[in-house]
Amino acid sequence: MTADRTAASASAAPVSASATSASAASRAELIADTALGLLAERGMRGLTHRAVDEAAGLPLGSTSNHARTRAALLKAAVRRLAQREAAVLTPDEMPRSAGAARNGADPVAEPADALSLALHRSLTAQRDLLIARYELALEATRRPELREFYDATGRGFREPLEAMMTALGSTEPRRHARSLVAWCEGLMFSCAAGADHDAVPDRATLRIGFAELLRGMLNE
């Protein structure tokens, strides 16, 4: 019986470790998501370890155990922000890498449609994330260690756009990708915190804008 009990314990151990790991990951996401929510609601001054514990309903000290310093907490927020923004499009909604027209189709129609969907979701369903991002971007200008981390996550968004522009036949994919990012950033700031906060463009309008940009870049 002792042998059976020992074997049972041994087989159960990996499950327990897995559950512990999943619980830790879940708590880490809760802390980071709560930090982003506080940034959007209260600004940078309202983000403290204690405030995260209270808003998340966690025992005091939980956030400090996960991210001991303010810099670590900010990095966790940036990392989570990138994850959530990257999920704005599902894999099957992403523009296909082959940009050449198929059967005479408009080569920019598909990428313009996918990009308009992503941007419209950001403007309508993720406004708080945008505000949190601007708080983090401004803080990064004062914290070199956060600046480096923030910029690294930004490259994760520009590089796929460069690949898309290359597939579409752009002669300057890096410059064109940066222009797309700048256009999106301008709209996002204007609609989240600027003069157009109450006039978010609909998806059809965004699709037209992307198509115009892409055709101009590709001399279509």
Side-chain angles (χ1 to χ4, degrees):
M1 182 169 302
T2 301
D4 290 343
R5 189 159 43 241
T6 301
S9 287
S11 64
V15 176
S16 177
S18 176
T20 300
S21 177
S23 176
S26 177
R27 176 166 289 199
E29 288 185 357
L30 173 61
I31 288 171
D33 284 334
T34 303
L36 290 171
L38 287 170
L39 284 170
E41 179 185 349
R42 307 178 189 177
M44 193 59 64
R45 290 184 179 181
L47 178 64
T48 66
H49 288 74
R50 185 183 184 90
V52 173
D53 286 339
E54 292 175 348
L58 294 171
L60 291 181
S62 298
T63 301
S64 294
N65 286 335
H66 172 67
R68 295 196 176 278
T69 65
R70 183 170 179 80
L73 181 58
L74 291 172
K75 286 183 179 180
V78 171
R79 186 183 297 110
R80 182 62 175 155
L81 175 70
Q83 291 173 345
R84 290 177 60 180
E85 287 187 333
V88 73
L89 282 184
T90 62
D92 62 325
E93 291 172 330
M94 292 291 289
R96 299 177 187 177
S97 57
R102 294 181 298 278
N103 300 322
D106 183 352
V108 306
E110 193 172 87
D113 186 64
L115 292 171
S116 69
L117 176 59
L119 183 54
H120 189 258
R121 283 176 176 166
S122 293
L123 294 175
T124 56
Q126 296 189 342
R127 183 174 179 275
D128 285 352
L129 275 187
L130 291 178
I131 296 173
R133 178 146 70 93
Y134 299 137
E135 291 283 349
L136 289 165
L138 289 172
E139 187 68 7
T141 65
R142 309 177 189 103
R143 289 176 176 265
E145 74 281 5
L146 185 60
R147 175 84 276 164
E148 182 179 355
F149 190 76
Y150 186 94
D151 290 349
T153 62
R155 286 192 292 272
F157 291 96
R158 289 196 303 272
E159 288 168 1
L161 283 178
E162 288 183 28
M164 183 194 76
M165 293 309 302
T166 299
L168 284 169
S170 167
T171 57
E172 297 184 72
R174 185 176 185 184
R175 183 173 68 81
H176 288 158
R178 287 181 177 274
S179 293
L180 280 174
V181 170
W183 188 76
C184 291
E185 289 281 8
L187 266 177
M188 288 190 292
F189 181 83
S190 180
C191 292
D196 290 327
H197 63 90
D198 59 348
V200 176
D202 59 25
R203 188 179 165 195
T205 300
L206 295 174
R207 188 188 297 113
I208 291 171
F210 275 117
E212 289 173 343
L213 284 170
L214 291 171
R215 288 196 182 94
M217 293 172 181
L218 301 171
N219 296 316
E220 288 285 337

PDB file of all heavy atoms in Angstrom, residues 98-112:
ATOM      1  N   ALA A  98       1.244  36.955 -48.865  1.00  0.00           N
ATOM      2  CA  ALA A  98       1.309  37.108 -50.318  1.00  0.00           C
ATOM      3  C   ALA A  98       0.363  38.220 -50.725  1.00  0.00           C
ATOM      4  O   ALA A  98      -0.854  38.063 -50.729  1.00  0.00           O
ATOM      5  CB  ALA A  98       0.921  35.810 -51.002  1.00  0.00           C
ATOM      6  N   GLY A  99       0.914  39.362 -51.110  1.00  0.00           N
ATOM      7  CA  GLY A  99       0.068  40.499 -51.409  1.00  0.00           C
ATOM      8  C   GLY A  99      -0.364  40.577 -52.856  1.00  0.00           C
ATOM      9  O   GLY A  99      -1.191  41.412 -53.207  1.00  0.00           O
ATOM     10  N   ALA A 100       0.181  39.706 -53.698  1.00  0.00           N
ATOM     11  CA  ALA A 100      -0.170  39.769 -55.117  1.00  0.00           C
ATOM     12  C   ALA A 100      -1.645  39.474 -55.323  1.00  0.00           C
ATOM     13  O   ALA A 100      -2.242  38.654 -54.631  1.00  0.00           O
ATOM     14  CB  ALA A 100       0.680  38.772 -55.896  1.00  0.00           C
ATOM     15  N   ALA A 101      -2.222  40.174 -56.248  1.00  0.00           N
ATOM     16  CA  ALA A 101      -3.647  39.971 -56.527  1.00  0.00           C
ATOM     17  C   ALA A 101      -3.883  38.559 -57.040  1.00  0.00           C
ATOM     18  O   ALA A 101      -3.076  38.007 -57.783  1.00  0.00           O
ATOM     19  CB  ALA A 101      -4.110  40.990 -57.568  1.00  0.00           C
ATOM     20  N   ARG A 102      -4.963  37.993 -56.601  1.00  0.00           N
ATOM     21  CA  ARG A 102      -5.345  36.665 -57.059  1.00  0.00           C
ATOM     22  C   ARG A 102      -6.590  36.822 -57.929  1.00  0.00           C
ATOM     23  O   ARG A 102      -7.575  37.428 -57.521  1.00  0.00           O
ATOM     24  CB  ARG A 102      -5.644  35.746 -55.872  1.00  0.00           C
ATOM     25  CG  ARG A 102      -4.415  35.444 -55.026  1.00  0.00           C
ATOM     26  CD  ARG A 102      -4.778  34.494 -53.880  1.00  0.00           C
ATOM     27  NE  ARG A 102      -5.759  35.092 -52.981  1.00  0.00           N
ATOM     28  CZ  ARG A 102      -5.429  35.957 -52.002  1.00  0.00           C
ATOM     29  NH1 ARG A 102      -4.168  36.318 -51.836  1.00  0.00           N
ATOM     30  NH2 ARG A 102      -6.363  36.458 -51.218  1.00  0.00           N
ATOM     31  N   ASN A 103      -6.496  36.259 -59.128  1.00  0.00           N
ATOM     32  CA  ASN A 103      -7.628  36.331 -60.060  1.00  0.00           C
ATOM     33  C   ASN A 103      -8.043  37.775 -60.333  1.00  0.00           C
ATOM     34  O   ASN A 103      -9.229  38.084 -60.425  1.00  0.00           O
ATOM     35  CB  ASN A 103      -8.823  35.543 -59.516  1.00  0.00           C
ATOM     36  CG  ASN A 103      -8.490  34.074 -59.302  1.00  0.00           C
ATOM     37  OD1 ASN A 103      -7.768  33.486 -60.110  1.00  0.00           O
ATOM     38  ND2 ASN A 103      -8.991  33.502 -58.226  1.00  0.00           N
ATOM     39  N   GLY A 104      -7.063  38.650 -60.433  1.00  0.00           N
ATOM     40  CA  GLY A 104      -7.352  40.037 -60.766  1.00  0.00           C
ATOM     41  C   GLY A 104      -7.882  40.871 -59.628  1.00  0.00           C
ATOM     42  O   GLY A 104      -8.339  41.989 -59.842  1.00  0.00           O
ATOM     43  N   ALA A 105      -7.845  40.359 -58.398  1.00  0.00           N
ATOM     44  CA  ALA A 105      -8.365  41.109 -57.248  1.00  0.00           C
ATOM     45  C   ALA A 105      -7.446  42.278 -56.921  1.00  0.00           C
ATOM     46  O   ALA A 105      -6.264  42.291 -57.258  1.00  0.00           O
ATOM     47  CB  ALA A 105      -8.496  40.185 -56.045  1.00  0.00           C
ATOM     48  N   ASP A 106      -8.012  43.255 -56.246  1.00  0.00           N
ATOM     49  CA  ASP A 106      -7.250  44.421 -55.809  1.00  0.00           C
ATOM     50  C   ASP A 106      -6.207  43.970 -54.784  1.00  0.00           C
ATOM     51  O   ASP A 106      -6.561  43.427 -53.732  1.00  0.00           O
ATOM     52  CB  ASP A 106      -8.205  45.428 -55.175  1.00  0.00           C
ATOM     53  CG  ASP A 106      -7.527  46.713 -54.739  1.00  0.00           C
ATOM     54  OD1 ASP A 106      -6.289  46.774 -54.785  1.00  0.00           O
ATOM     55  OD2 ASP A 106      -8.243  47.638 -54.337  1.00  0.00           O
ATOM     56  N   PRO A 107      -4.912  44.183 -55.025  1.00  0.00           N
ATOM     57  CA  PRO A 107      -3.880  43.678 -54.115  1.00  0.00           C
ATOM     58  C   PRO A 107      -3.881  44.324 -52.738  1.00  0.00           C
ATOM     59  O   PRO A 107      -3.375  43.737 -51.781  1.00  0.00           O
ATOM     60  CB  PRO A 107      -2.573  43.972 -54.859  1.00  0.00           C
ATOM     61  CG  PRO A 107      -2.903  45.095 -55.784  1.00  0.00           C
ATOM     62  CD  PRO A 107      -4.334  44.866 -56.195  1.00  0.00           C
ATOM     63  N   VAL A 108      -4.453  45.533 -52.607  1.00  0.00           N
ATOM     64  CA  VAL A 108      -4.439  46.189 -51.295  1.00  0.00           C
ATOM     65  C   VAL A 108      -5.735  45.972 -50.526  1.00  0.00           C
ATOM     66  O   VAL A 108      -5.832  46.361 -49.359  1.00  0.00           O
ATOM     67  CB  VAL A 108      -4.170  47.715 -51.434  1.00  0.00           C
ATOM     68  CG1 VAL A 108      -2.903  47.976 -52.223  1.00  0.00           C
ATOM     69  CG2 VAL A 108      -5.358  48.437 -52.047  1.00  0.00           C
ATOM     70  N   ALA A 109      -6.722  45.355 -51.150  1.00  0.00           N
ATOM     71  CA  ALA A 109      -8.030  45.215 -50.496  1.00  0.00           C
ATOM     72  C   ALA A 109      -7.939  44.377 -49.229  1.00  0.00           C
ATOM     73  O   ALA A 109      -8.499  44.744 -48.186  1.00  0.00           O
ATOM     74  CB  ALA A 109      -9.034  44.601 -51.467  1.00  0.00           C
ATOM     75  N   GLU A 110      -7.266  43.256 -49.302  1.00  0.00           N
ATOM     76  CA  GLU A 110      -7.202  42.367 -48.142  1.00  0.00           C
ATOM     77  C   GLU A 110      -6.427  42.975 -46.977  1.00  0.00           C
ATOM     78  O   GLU A 110      -6.914  42.974 -45.842  1.00  0.00           O
ATOM     79  CB  GLU A 110      -6.589  41.028 -48.552  1.00  0.00           C
ATOM     80  CG  GLU A 110      -6.752  39.941 -47.508  1.00  0.00           C
ATOM     81  CD  GLU A 110      -6.312  38.588 -48.028  1.00  0.00           C
ATOM     82  OE1 GLU A 110      -5.115  38.284 -47.912  1.00  0.00           O
ATOM     83  OE2 GLU A 110      -7.164  37.864 -48.561  1.00  0.00           O
ATOM     84  N   PRO A 111      -5.211  43.501 -47.208  1.00  0.00           N
ATOM     85  CA  PRO A 111      -4.520  44.142 -46.081  1.00  0.00           C
ATOM     86  C   PRO A 111      -5.252  45.359 -45.540  1.00  0.00           C
ATOM     87  O   PRO A 111      -5.275  45.586 -44.329  1.00  0.00           O
ATOM     88  CB  PRO A 111      -3.147  44.519 -46.663  1.00  0.00           C
ATOM     89  CG  PRO A 111      -3.264  44.389 -48.123  1.00  0.00           C
ATOM     90  CD  PRO A 111      -4.356  43.409 -48.397  1.00  0.00           C
ATOM     91  N   ALA A 112      -5.877  46.139 -46.404  1.00  0.00           N
ATOM     92  CA  ALA A 112      -6.632  47.312 -45.932  1.00  0.00           C
ATOM     93  C   ALA A 112      -7.801  46.877 -45.057  1.00  0.00           C
ATOM     94  O   ALA A 112      -8.108  47.516 -44.039  1.00  0.00           O
ATOM     95  CB  ALA A 112      -7.124  48.140 -47.117  1.00  0.00           C
TER      96      ALA A 112
END
